[in-house]
Amino acid sequence: MKRFAVPIAMLLATTACTTTQRVADGSDLASSAAPIAPILTSAQAIDEESWAEPQKARVTHVALDLDLDFARQRVAGTATLDVMAKPGVSEIVLDDRGLQISSITDGAGRMLEWSVGAAAEGEKGAPLTIGLDGARKVQISYAASKADALQWLDPEQTAGGQHPFLFSQGQAILNRTWIPTQDSPGIRQTWEARITAPKPLDVVMSGVRQGKPEDLGNGRRAFRFVMDKPVPPYLIAIAAGDIDFAATGPRTGVWAEPSVLPRAAAEVGDTEQLVEAAESLFGEYRWGRYDMIVLPPSFPYGGMENPVMTFLTPTFIAGDRSNNGLVAHELAHSWSGNLVTYASWRDGWLNEGVTSYIENRISEEVYGKARAEQEYALSYAALEAMVAQQGATNPVTAMRTPAGTSPFDTDGEAIYDKGTVFLRTVENIIGRQRFDAWLTQWFDNHAFQPATSAMFLADLREKLVRGDRQLEQRLLLDQWVYGTGLPANALKPDAQAFAAVDAAVTAYAANRSLPTAAAWRAWTAAEQRRFLEELPEALSASDLAALDKRLGVSASGNNEVRFLWLEAALRNRYQPAVPQAEEFLARVGRNKFVSPLFQALWNTGEWGQPIARRIYAGTRGGYHAYTRGKVDAIVS
Ligand code: BES
Ligand code: ZN
């Protein structure tokens, strides 16, 4: 049988493969029109978190046909995979964590042999090995209940209170709990889905919805989706609930529960502008529409960059768009992360650090230099604090996770904030115009492909450094990417960015003199955050009472501000904050807020530990598996 136009070895390797190569025999691949993304073979591209052996056989396309069963909290149906295999290779290995597989065929009814190996410790799951016996399609009939990627919410956990809700969170390695595929960021796959759900629920996915939902006549509807661009499988996402849509521009809009939609739409009213700004900086937005969904509060992250459908926490809604750096961030992933993706989890900074840098640049375009400088100063301060706390030689402070450390143990600051400071530093040395041109071509030339730190640095050296030894010495590229701590050439934030706030911080530290209520109200959200982040560690009950009375922080409409207040209050055993924390922790499931508050309580010892236990007993059931896992490690 004739198979490939180009030797399979070329399709599977990095060097010779371009996105324009096509499979000759269309029967081998259902979506033969889709570009086949290369598999990187370098040591840096090895993903220890996946069982897949993509050099031998790999998935190129996933077709899901699944029923959402809210009563049993499970999905069930089939996943049909298109497979590309080296000649002579007789099996393909997928990732599986807890799937209930009933049978596997070649898609035409012929049974294939399969087995599930021993599960690794932690979240990696087990290898699912399928005998191909010449097949280039495998159809897996399965169900997934108790999938950690899926959170099934009871009606009471939604704003409307009438209907259940479902959302998924695939990143990092959770999609293997509901989709049997090669769950590795370097193995890009196109996908399509047919999903059925009970009326009146609407379903959205991180792919383009096809036509109107089909009424199945049994109280259910079927929704179809297509993602025709190869994506890393952690980006396959789904949400279903009683949700409506509001446009925010010709190609942007937001979904949310009806009672949340007006506030959500107002908060993300700048989205069209953000997309335009991003395009003006780093080239065309290549995904068609940019829509968002504001989820119920148990969503464990601030946001998740699911293609064409960013997922957002409702806790970013402040009424004044002050937290929509979050939208800029998830949008920025449309370039860094979704278009060009790290091949292994060790290169977290390639997605998140580059995105934080772009987020800041978008902020500057849309909101002006002053706001962007303040956000940069907050990043820089967070990075400095993290390095001071962890120690400058601690491996958790490295941008590329060193061998011997779990890529999921790296401090967020080492990836997000160090990444921002790194790229601002390079931009400053190279010059903005040249750097922007370089970054734009990096995205263009690696569009829909995986990348590594080594590739990023090699391209920078080839195109910008070009053998200039002095320039090389000034940049300290390897130290930034592979080293620990904060390199000496780091671009310091503008000392003026927070001049007024920092004076107020100093005054407060000296004699507890507070800014006036009017001055506080006039501050930006970033300024208010700066003030609260720089408060003295130890504060007395009367200090805290006076601070809250003057500034009204415990009733702030901005959850970032309210969180910083609660953290300061709890670490100082401030009893009046306990009911406030209880209310907040019952209402908010975003781990960035939840874990630190439990930690603050826990750290106080015998005062806070019983309080933490009591509050957690009431809130644990409402948290997402991710948040629960983090808090379980604190509260015992
Ligand atoms: N992709 C991340 C969320 C993520 C990272 C999920 C790693 C799982 C593993 C998302 O883009 C993100 O960074 N969210 C931040 C937003 C913030 C930096 C503006 C968050 O949720 O706090
Ligand atoms: Zn991100």
Side-chain angles (χ1 to χ4, degrees), residues 380 383-384 387 392 397 418 421 479-480 483-492:
Y380 196 96
L383 174 58
E384 266 188 324
V387 171
T397 67
K418 196 171 174 182
V421 176
Q479 203 182 316
W480 274 103
T484 59
L486 183 56
N489 66 349
L491 179 70
K492 295 232 165 21

Side-chain angles (χ1 to χ4, degrees), residues 373-397:
E373 279 300 322
Q374 289 185 344
E375 284 166 359
Y376 182 66
L378 289 178
S379 279
Y380 196 96
L383 174 58
E384 266 188 324
M386 184 276 289
V387 171
Q389 202 208 337
Q390 300 285 9
T393 58
N394 192 323
V396 300
T397 67

Side-chain angles (χ1 to χ4, degrees), residues 518-561:
W520 172 262
R521 273 198 307 273
W523 281 356
T524 63
E527 287 170 325
Q528 295 186 353
R529 281 170 57 193
R530 171 73 159 209
F531 183 80
L532 296 173
E533 279 172 5
E534 302 287 323
L535 285 176
E537 274 297 304
L539 293 165
S540 69
S542 64
D543 291 340
L544 288 159
L547 187 143
D548 190 30
K549 184 156 182 260
R550 173 76 64 87
L551 309 180
V553 279
S554 68
S556 170
N558 187 316
N559 285 314
E560 301 274 354
V561 169

Side-chain angles (χ1 to χ4, degrees), residues 4 8-9 12 55-58 84-90 136:
F4 302 109
I8 184 73
L12 294 171
Q55 275 76 22
K56 296 181 184 160
R58 57 172 297 205
M84 198 191 273
K86 247 183 179 160
V89 167
S90 59
R136 289 298 176 266

Side-chain angles (χ1 to χ4, degrees), residues 48-242:
E48 288 149 3
E49 310 301 326
S50 169
W51 294 100
E53 299 173 10
Q55 275 76 22
K56 296 181 184 160
R58 57 172 297 205
V59 174
T60 59
H61 182 80
V62 179
L64 299 173
D65 189 347
L66 297 173
D67 298 320
L68 307 183
D69 182 343
F70 284 85
R72 298 171 71 180
Q73 304 203 331
R74 62 167 216 170
V75 299
T78 59
T80 308
L81 312 179
D82 290 345
V83 170
M84 198 191 273
K86 247 183 179 160
V89 167
S90 59
E91 5 178 86
I92 185 164
V93 185
L94 311 180
D95 293 297
D96 165 9
R97 180 145 80 90
L99 301 172
Q100 299 139 255
I101 298 170
S102 48
S103 69
I104 302 183
T105 70
D106 68 351
R110 183 163 57 107
M111 290 291 179
L112 299 177
E113 305 242 333
W114 57 276
S115 65
V116 178
E121 264 186 41
E123 296 184 339
K124 184 174 177 180
L128 164 58
T129 305
I130 303 170
L132 288 171
D133 194 15
R136 289 298 176 266
K137 243 186 215 305
V138 299
Q139 182 166 82
I140 301 155
S141 299
Y142 73 104
S145 47
K146 301 209 176 67
D148 274 358
L150 303 178
Q151 192 179 16
W152 303 85
L153 302 178
D154 293 330
E156 311 81 72
Q157 291 173 278
T158 67
Q162 298 297 312
H163 300 283
F165 204 103
L166 165 71
F167 66 81
S168 72
Q169 168 61 40
Q171 199 180 18
I173 56 171
L174 296 177
N175 266 351
R176 61 196 64 179
T177 65
W178 75 290
I179 303 174
T181 189
Q182 292 176 319
D183 188 14
S184 179
I187 310 177
R188 302 182 80 100
Q189 299 151 38
T190 54
W191 62 268
E192 65 192 287
R194 176 181 177 275
I195 306 288
T196 76
K199 286 201 273 192
L201 303 191
D202 245 293
V203 182
V204 296
M205 288 190 82
S206 53
V208 181
R209 206 152 107 168
Q210 308 289 300
K212 292 232 156 19
E214 175 195 353
D215 199 321
L216 300 174
N218 58 355
R220 298 179 70 85
R221 294 191 295 173
F223 298 77
R224 288 176 182 276
F225 303 88
V226 169
M227 172 46 69
D228 64 359
K229 297 161 180 67
V231 293
Y234 70 79
L235 289 178
I236 304 176
I238 189 168
D242 175 22

Side-chain angles (χ1 to χ4, degrees), residues 169 171-172 301-305 326 329-330 333 352 416 590:
Q169 168 61 40
Q171 199 180 18
Y301 292 100
M304 178 64 211
E305 64 272 26
L326 176 66
H329 179 96
E330 304 314 334
H333 274 302
E352 299 300 343
Y416 290 80
R590 182 177 177 184

